[in-house]
Amino acid sequence: MSSGLIFAITGVVLFAMGSAGMLLVAHLLRRILAFNLMGSGAFLILVGLAQRGGTPDPVPQAMVLTGIVVAVAATALALALLRKLHTLNGRTELPRVEDD
Amino acid sequence: MKTAAIVIGAAAFAATMIAALLDLPPSAIHLPRLVDANLPVSGVTHPVTAVLLNFRGYDTMLEIGVLLLALLIVLAVGTHDGADAAPTADPMLQTFARLAASLMALVAVYLLWAGARQPGGAFQAGAVLAAAAVLLHLAGVLPAWREPGALLRSGLAAGFLVFLFVAMALLSQGTLLQYPHAAAGSLILLIEFALTISLGLILAGLFLFLSGGQGSDS
C-alpha cells in the first residue's frame, strides 16, 4: 500500500466524520468546522489518489490549492452569516423543522 | 436512534469508499506526462504554477472571482455588531508585530518571484500578506476596516480585473487565456502580481471587516 493510498483513505475517514458531524451537531460554529473537515477529506482524497503511482501529479495539486483558498473564503462567509444571525436574534442554531 | 443511524451510515459510506479506493485501477490518462511535455511552452518551469496560471488558468480566474464575491457578500451582510474588541497596547508586542510584518512582506515578494521555478506563487504570497495584516490587527497596530475606500476597492478588485483584461485581450487569438509563447512568462508574472495584492487584501479583509465594531447600522 503506497503512502498516497493511505492519504486517500485518511481523507475518506475525515470526510465521513465531517458529514456525520454536519448532520449530528446543531451548533452552527461546529457545523462549519465539520464542513471544513469534509473539505479537507476531499482534498486529501484528490491529492492522495493522484500520487498513488509514486510521483505527485501537479494537476490535482493545483486544483486542491484553488480549492483550499475557496474553502477559506466560504468559511469566512459562513462565519459572517453566523455572526449576523447571532446579532439579530442571539441564536447560534437554525430553527428546527416542526414536522420532523 | 437518529444518531445511531447517521453514525452507521457514515461508517458504511467510509467502508464502501475505502473498498472502492483499494480496487481502483491506475488512471488511464497520465496527466504528469502531459504537463511535463507542455512545460517548455508554458512560460514557467514549475509544473503547479504552469497548471494554475496557464493550462487551467480559467479555474484560477473564476477562483479569484469567487473570493471577491465572498468578500462582497460579507460586506453586504453588514459586519458592525458593536462587539469591538479592545486593542492591546503592549508596546513590546506592537514592536515585534511591526518587525515580523515587514519580514512577512519580504517573504511574500520572494514567494511570488519564486513561484515560476519552485513551490510558491500568488496564493502562498497572498496568504502570507493577509497573515501579516491579521497579525498587525491583533497586535493593535492596524485598526479594523470599515467602509472600503476607493484605493482599497481597486486593490480588492485588481487581481480579477487584470486577469479578466488579459483574458479578453487574448480572446482575439481565438482561445481564452492562451498566452502567446514569447510573452507567457511576463503575462503570468503580471497576473500573479495582481493576484497576490488582491488575494492578500481579500483574505485580510475577510478578517478585518468582520473584526470591525461599534457601528450603529445594525
Side-chain angles (χ1 to χ4, degrees):
Chain A
M1 184 186 289
S2 67
S3 62
L5 203 54
I6 296 177
F7 283 138
I9 289 173
T10 314
V12 170
V13 174
L14 282 180
F15 187 89
M17 281 163 64
S19 47
M22 277 283 281
L23 295 171
L24 288 176
V25 179
H27 194 289
L28 284 175
L29 186 59
R30 296 182 181 196
R31 216 172 248 197
I32 293 170
L33 285 178
F35 185 68
N36 266 294
L37 200 59
M38 283 173 78
S40 305
F43 295 149
L44 257 183
I45 295 173
L46 270 174
V47 170
L49 265 191
Q51 59 179 30
R52 270 177 309 163
T55 50
D57 186 343
V59 178
Q61 284 197 17
M63 297 293 109
V64 166
L65 187 59
T66 310
I68 288 173
V69 180
V70 170
V72 169
T75 306
L77 176 58
L79 289 173
L81 290 176
L82 170 59
R83 257 183 70 159
K84 191 69 181 178
L85 181 74
H86 184 68
T87 312
L88 287 179
N89 59 13
R91 279 209 298 228
T92 54
E93 297 177 7
L94 292 176
R96 299 189 71 84
V97 181
E98 289 308 322
D99 59 357
D100 185 28
Chain B
M1 184 61 213
K2 201 173 120 192
T3 311
I6 290 173
V7 169
I8 291 173
F13 168 78
T16 320
M17 272 293 279
I18 289 172
L21 285 186
L22 290 175
D23 256 2
L24 201 65
S27 57
I29 309 169
H30 198 64
L31 283 175
R33 201 175 297 141
L34 273 176
V35 171
D36 279 344
N38 288 301
L39 205 51
V41 296
S42 69
V44 289
T45 52
H46 189 62
V48 174
T49 309
V51 171
L52 268 180
L53 284 150
N54 198 332
F55 306 147
R56 303 284 309 179
Y58 194 54
D59 288 336
T60 311
M61 187 171 81
L62 290 183
E63 176 206 2
I64 186 75
V66 167
L67 278 172
L68 193 58
L69 195 62
L71 188 78
L72 288 181
I73 300 174
V74 165
L75 284 173
V77 163
T79 52
H80 305 303
D81 60 356
D84 202 8
T88 54
D90 187 350
M92 191 79 153
L93 182 62
Q94 295 195 346
T95 311
F96 178 73
R98 283 198 173 96
L99 197 66
S102 48
L103 285 176
M104 284 163 96
L106 192 68
V107 169
V109 173
Y110 170 72
L111 278 175
L112 171 65
W113 184 249
R117 296 176 307 282
Q118 44 187 309
F123 295 102
Q124 290 87 336
V128 171
L129 275 185
V134 171
L135 179 71
L136 284 178
H137 172 64
L138 290 179
V141 181
L142 192 67
W145 292 350
R146 303 295 169 80
E147 296 295 310
L151 192 63
L152 185 52
R153 277 170 207 259
S154 38
L156 290 169
F160 188 51
L161 289 182
V162 166
F163 216 145
L164 204 60
F165 182 75
V166 171
M168 275 168 59
L170 294 177
L171 204 56
S172 59
Q173 299 193 333
T175 321
L176 194 71
L177 282 174
Q178 174 135 39
Y179 310 119
H181 178 41
S186 10
L187 278 178
I188 286 178
L189 193 63
L190 170 74
I191 293 174
E192 281 212 285
F193 180 70
L195 274 184
T196 303
I197 292 176
S198 279
L199 269 171
L201 286 175
I202 290 175
L203 291 178
L206 287 173
F207 192 95
L208 291 180
F209 282 123
L210 280 178
S211 174
Q214 75 187 18
S216 54
D217 57 337
S218 65

